[in-house]
Amino acid sequence: MGFKEARQKAHDVWASLVDNKRPLIFAGAASCGRAAGVQSVISAFRTRLAEKGIEASIIEVGCVGMCYLEPIIDIKMPGKPRVSYSNINPARARKLIADHIIGGEVCEDLAIGTVGEQRADGIPGLFEHPMLAAQNRRVLRNCGLIDPTNIDHYIATGGYSGIEKAIEIGPEATIEMVKKSGLRGRGGAGFPTYRKWEFCRRSPGTPKFLICNADEGDPGAFMNRSLLEGDPHAVLEGMLIAGLAIGSSKGIIYARAEYPLAVERLKIALAQMSEYGLLGDGIMGSSFSFEIELEEGAGAFVCGEETALIAALEGRRGMPRPRPPFPAVSGLWGKPTNVNNVETLGNLPQILINGPDWFAELGTEKSKGTKTFALAGKVKRTGLVEVALGTKLRDIVFSIGGGILDEKKFKAVQTGGPSGGCIPLEMLDLPVDYERLAEAGSIMGSGGMVVMDESTCPVDIAHYFISFTQQESCGKCPPCRIGTNKMLGILQKIKSGKGTMRDLALLEELALTVKRASLCGLGQTAPNPVLSTLRYFRDEYIEHIRNRRCPAGVCRKPRKKAADNHNSNSVADATGGE
Amino acid sequence: MTDNNGDYGTGRGRLISALAKIQKKHGYLPEDALSELSRKMGISKSEVYGVATFYSQFKFDPPAKHTLHICLGTACHVRGGMKILESVRKRFKVNPGETTEDRKFALERVACLGCCALAPVVVLDGEIHGKMTPESVDKLIDDLDAPERGV
């Protein structure tokens, strides 16, 4: 089947959804929906529909990003608008069948909005919801709306038109287009994507490898998981475009082991691509050939670092090595290799379709486009959001996130996970872009954003992140291996009320040394949570030391008797607990 | 990562997926299976072991009947994941990474499952549960087919 026929077929499939003859039930079935219990809701629907003899289709979709309202169910009756309902449990599922599917009445008390152009009386559009209205959903445009296991849905919403365009204009013009767009790496470091591509394209040696880094390991970050679960084809199409641009015929996805659903959806998507002639020789009748292989990681945070990731793919311990040589010159098996993040790749199809100016109309001078963030922690509306770069942190936390849970006071927002830092109240008007976050002592990172309230202790948070990086340090270079361990010891001491002012000075000195002397990004950024909390919350550290008191009430003094700690490697030591 | 032909790489790229395959079959990496793999792939046993121990997914003991993973990602940490861990640890007298003596229950911690919006999250025998408390986790465990109270 040629792509033109495939596209026609996809449009027919899509039209049958828009103009449906039988009731359609869309279930938000990404990992977050599953954690909220959507599977029991789906089986409740199945059972009751069968009992009532109603023929309806249940379509599992990804996550629209409103994780706090999961499980989310959409119902679309023939000729009627698609209505979204939140917090559905099996009892409510039966109510929806009785009222909406049989009775034809929208359950206004459970509805959160309508999807698509049609409206229902008294129900606002879903995208007018305060959590969604301030967003610019570009990369996430399909998440929660289409069936991620159905390639036709993706094609019908413009999918694979980006690679069609790239094939038409060729590699050089594709790189030029991405250069003009200003796209920078979404994995955190923010290196211009086109430059990485140019290095790799110009490097001698074949084959060249294109790697999709889906080893999203930052605790508190789930952007890539959501995109892979909700719209895997967008990332895979991005791989085709990047592959074409650098002159590669071999793509590899390195996916995190803890993401079984994302892996499953990628496998389905890859099989569909083969079936549609979007992989293999002569894609879309051109001379471009490309294969994609899926590799599952085996669980190591450091493998998010590109040279460590390459080591893992070569069957070795996932330890980084010094650069240069950069992977663009000598990467996997010594061949030119380009490693791009999931979200970077997910941006490409639309840059090709809509043009670089469209992409660059959002953002700041040096940070163009949008960025997805995983909004979590002590905020009312948690979920996955996508905003124009340059959006103020305040807007993300308060307008989109709805403010702090239980009307408590905002204390800080932590960006960039274990490589980032805490940004305090005074800096809430900071526009989110690569440079401004770095100036504030944090980093953009991959997009984790964890909100902290007055009951969160900065010392505890610093301790939490250092205990994480200390455990995940691969052990190759001493500054990281020993430095993080010593920093953890000092933080433990301060937390338990035994710290001295000398410890504080030593902690700061160590942090700067680890930052400067470590081999890879893990060690170079590991001290950031300590340095940023010291910068903005030094008084709380001092309170722990001088008055042996934790102002947030999180850190407690260790029990008087050590008898409970039967194991010196106690859980509290290992995990950053009290 | 397979390496097509002999032009580059040595078949070495298949080591991790081979280990994963063994683990899928047995639930862990038995020593004799590692020896056999080492022979077959021509990689020394110490190196096979070195690679396997680097990655947290690989286990060297037979799996317990039930496994509880407690997420301690940032969001779960600030929303009380530690309290759940402490309560389970007290109930079963096991630390993360350990299994009860009767091999019925294993406790694991995981850095982040990416369900941060529903924190705190646990995974019991592969099933994800969100918005947990020590009490609701207790109940999940009680509801298992064969409750292991007072192990």
Side-chain angles (χ1 to χ4, degrees):
Chain A
M1 177 165 51
F3 187 66
K4 289 220 162 64
E5 295 94 83
R7 183 180 279 147
Q8 189 50 52
K9 179 184 163 241
H11 280 290
D12 294 344
V13 169
W14 188 250
S16 72
L17 282 187
V18 178
D19 185 21
N20 53 320
K21 301 282 182 276
R22 50 157 88 171
L24 298 179
I25 297 154
F26 298 85
S31 288
C32 39
R34 295 186 176 203
V38 77
Q39 271 145 329
S40 63
V41 173
I42 292 174
S43 42
F45 267 106
R46 288 230 164 87
T47 313
R48 184 51 66 95
L49 289 168
E51 282 168 14
K52 298 277 178 191
I54 300 168
E55 287 210 8
S57 306
I58 299 179
I59 300 169
E60 293 190 16
V61 296
C63 172
V64 76
M66 305 167 94
C67 304
Y68 76 110
L69 294 176
E70 297 281 3
I72 294 175
I73 299 283
D74 295 0
I75 292 179
K76 183 172 181 341
M77 298 300 290
K80 299 283 184 194
R82 174 171 167 180
V83 182
S84 278
Y85 293 104
S86 70
N87 292 308
I88 301 304
N89 54 30
R92 286 176 174 171
R94 290 186 280 271
K95 179 176 155 62
L96 290 180
I97 291 176
D99 295 3
H100 192 156
I101 295 181
I102 298 175
E105 292 290 323
V106 174
C107 301
E108 287 188 28
D109 51 329
L110 297 174
I112 47 169
T114 54
V115 179
E117 282 161 20
Q118 277 180 299
R119 286 280 177 277
D121 282 346
I123 314 277
L126 181 65
F127 288 88
E128 291 158 30
H129 186 284
M131 183 172 188
L132 296 173
Q135 296 189 39
N136 290 95
R137 293 177 80 85
R138 289 181 163 185
V139 174
L140 303 176
R141 67 192 176 104
N142 284 328
C143 287
L145 303 180
I146 68 166
D147 179 354
T149 63
N150 190 333
I151 190 172
D152 289 331
H153 287 198
Y154 181 67
I155 294 175
T157 51
Y160 292 107
S161 302
I163 181 62
E164 196 180 27
K165 175 86 181 177
I167 288 172
E168 183 198 318
I169 63 175
E172 307 286 346
T174 301
I175 295 178
E176 191 54 34
M177 214 174 195
V178 172
K179 178 181 180 179
K180 227 180 134 197
S181 76
L183 177 66
R184 295 168 66 174
R186 297 297 194 237
F191 195 75
T193 303
Y194 86 92
R195 275 179 59 197
K196 224 174 176 176
W197 285 3
E198 275 183 349
F199 287 141
C200 193
R201 182 169 178 78
R202 287 182 194 150
S203 291
T206 46
K208 290 186 166 87
F209 291 104
L210 172 85
I211 298 175
C212 166
N213 184 350
D215 192 39
E216 178 176 61
D218 278 10
F222 54 92
M223 302 76 49
N224 297 351
R225 173 184 68 67
S226 273
L227 183 57
L228 292 171
E229 288 177 356
D231 198 14
H233 284 287
V235 179
L236 296 172
E237 185 184 355
M239 288 182 74
L240 291 179
I241 295 168
L244 178 95
I246 63 167
S248 161
S249 57
K250 185 90 189 153
I252 300 150
I253 309 167
Y254 187 80
R256 188 171 179 237
E258 287 86 348
Y259 286 175
L261 187 62
V263 167
E264 189 189 312
R265 299 233 160 121
L266 280 169
K267 281 183 183 159
I268 295 170
L270 286 170
Q272 292 171 340
M273 284 177 83
S274 295
E275 195 187 315
Y276 276 58
L278 294 165
L279 285 178
D281 290 333
I283 292 169
M284 291 183 173
S286 71
S287 59
F288 174 53
S289 301
F290 200 70
E291 295 288 348
I292 298 179
E293 218 174 305
L294 177 64
E295 280 292 315
E296 287 178 59
F301 175 70
V302 70
C303 288
E305 199 278 342
E306 59 182 13
T307 60
L309 190 159
I310 289 168
L313 286 176
E314 291 176 348
R316 295 184 280 120
R317 288 166 73 90
M319 288 172 154
R321 60 158 175 81
R323 296 176 299 182
F326 285 92
V329 175
S330 177
L332 184 62
W333 309 117
K335 302 292 177 184
T337 302
N338 179 72
V339 185
N340 282 137
N341 164 269
V342 167
E343 189 180 337
T344 312
L345 295 166
N347 266 300
L348 295 173
Q350 292 185 78
I351 293 177
L352 268 291
I353 296 168
N354 301 316
D357 296 333
W358 169 85
F359 181 82
E361 81 190 13
L362 295 179
T364 61
E365 195 198 334
K366 287 185 180 164
S367 305
K368 300 294 186 194
T370 62
K371 178 79 192 79
T372 59
F373 291 99
L375 189 61
K378 304 284 185 73
V379 68
K380 281 182 189 153
R381 296 195 283 257
T382 52
L384 185 69
V385 309
E386 179 176 355
V387 294
L389 283 164
T391 302
K392 286 175 182 167
L393 274 173
R394 182 186 302 279
D395 293 335
I396 300 176
V397 176
F398 289 91
S399 307
I400 295 174
I404 308 301
L405 273 177
D406 305 327
E407 307 309 325
K408 285 194 179 161
K409 275 208 297 227
F410 172 90
K411 185 176 223 161
V413 53
Q414 211 279 345
T415 70
S419 315
C422 289
I423 298 182
L425 183 67
E426 308 86 80
M427 302 192 73
L428 260 184
D429 287 314
L430 192 79
V432 175
D433 76 10
Y434 292 95
E435 281 71 27
R436 303 300 288 275
L437 281 171
E439 281 164 26
S442 185
I443 61 161
M444 172 79 79
S446 53
M449 204 173 257
V450 181
V451 177
M452 294 164 185
D453 66 9
E454 55 195 321
S455 65
T456 314
C457 170
V459 182
D460 175 64
I461 290 301
H463 177 272
Y464 165 79
F465 281 120
I466 291 292
S467 87
F468 176 82
T469 39
Q470 184 263 332
Q471 277 184 33
E472 295 294 341
S473 170
C474 78
K476 184 168 180 171
C477 75
C480 176
R481 179 181 70 234
I482 302 169
T484 53
N485 183 281
K486 292 295 165 199
M487 283 163 72
L488 182 65
I490 296 174
L491 285 162
Q492 183 66 45
K493 218 173 142 189
I494 296 175
K495 255 174 78 72
S496 58
K498 290 181 198 154
T500 63
M501 290 307 283
R502 261 198 69 163
D503 286 327
L504 201 60
L506 183 61
L507 178 66
E508 210 158 7
E509 194 188 325
L510 260 172
L512 290 168
T513 308
V514 172
K515 197 176 164 86
R516 285 189 201 120
S518 293
L519 171 64
C520 83
L522 191 154
Q524 288 159 11
T525 59
N528 282 348
V530 174
L531 290 168
S532 78
T533 48
L534 273 171
R535 180 163 159 188
Y536 299 117
F537 301 102
R538 184 179 289 268
D539 50 337
E540 292 200 38
Y541 277 86
I542 293 174
E543 189 69 15
H544 280 78
I545 292 169
R546 293 237 161 99
N547 299 325
R548 305 186 183 283
R549 196 179 117 332
C550 172
V554 174
C555 312
R556 266 177 267 150
K557 287 178 198 168
R559 291 174 213 110
K560 288 218 173 75
K561 277 189 185 168
D564 261 5
N565 281 341
H566 61 282
N567 185 339
S568 65
N569 244 338
S570 84
V571 178
D573 286 340
T575 55
E578 300 126 16
Chain B
M1 157 64 208
T2 54
D3 40 20
N4 292 353
N5 47 51
D7 291 340
Y8 48 90
T10 55
R12 175 67 193 252
R14 292 187 201 91
L15 177 57
I16 292 174
S17 48
L19 288 168
K21 221 178 243 172
I22 294 173
Q23 175 145 312
K24 201 168 177 194
K25 189 173 163 197
H26 300 278
Y28 72 114
L29 300 176
E31 210 182 322
D32 47 351
L34 288 184
S35 305
E36 202 191 320
L37 184 70
S38 143
R39 241 192 344 268
K40 271 191 184 161
M41 294 191 79
I43 303 169
S44 76
K45 216 176 144 186
S46 65
E47 243 196 293
V48 170
Y49 189 75
V51 169
T53 49
F54 186 84
Y55 298 96
S56 64
Q57 295 284 313
F58 295 126
K59 307 289 173 214
F60 300 88
D61 292 310
K65 189 171 177 209
H66 300 291
T67 305
L68 180 75
H69 285 86
I70 298 181
C71 182
L72 289 169
T74 322
C76 292
H77 178 79
V78 302
R79 285 176 86 155
M82 266 318 288
K83 283 182 191 145
I84 296 175
L85 188 109
E86 277 302 312
S87 113
V88 176
R89 178 177 163 245
K90 271 189 191 135
R91 174 169 168 180
F92 289 99
K93 309 249 183 323
V94 282
N95 284 314
E98 294 177 0
T99 302
T100 52
E101 275 175 24
D102 59 5
R103 306 217 59 82
K104 279 187 178 161
F105 187 86
L107 177 61
E108 295 279 346
R109 49 165 300 190
V110 49
C112 187
L113 291 162
C115 297
C116 314
L118 294 161
V121 174
V122 305
V123 177
L124 183 58
D125 294 338
E127 200 133 311
I128 309 179
H129 302 271
K131 295 183 182 164
M132 289 284 113
T133 60
E135 294 73 34
S136 60
V137 171
D138 258 343
K139 191 169 176 303
L140 277 182
I141 299 171
D142 289 340
D143 289 348
L144 288 169
D145 45 358
E148 283 93 20
R149 265 211 176 283
V151 177

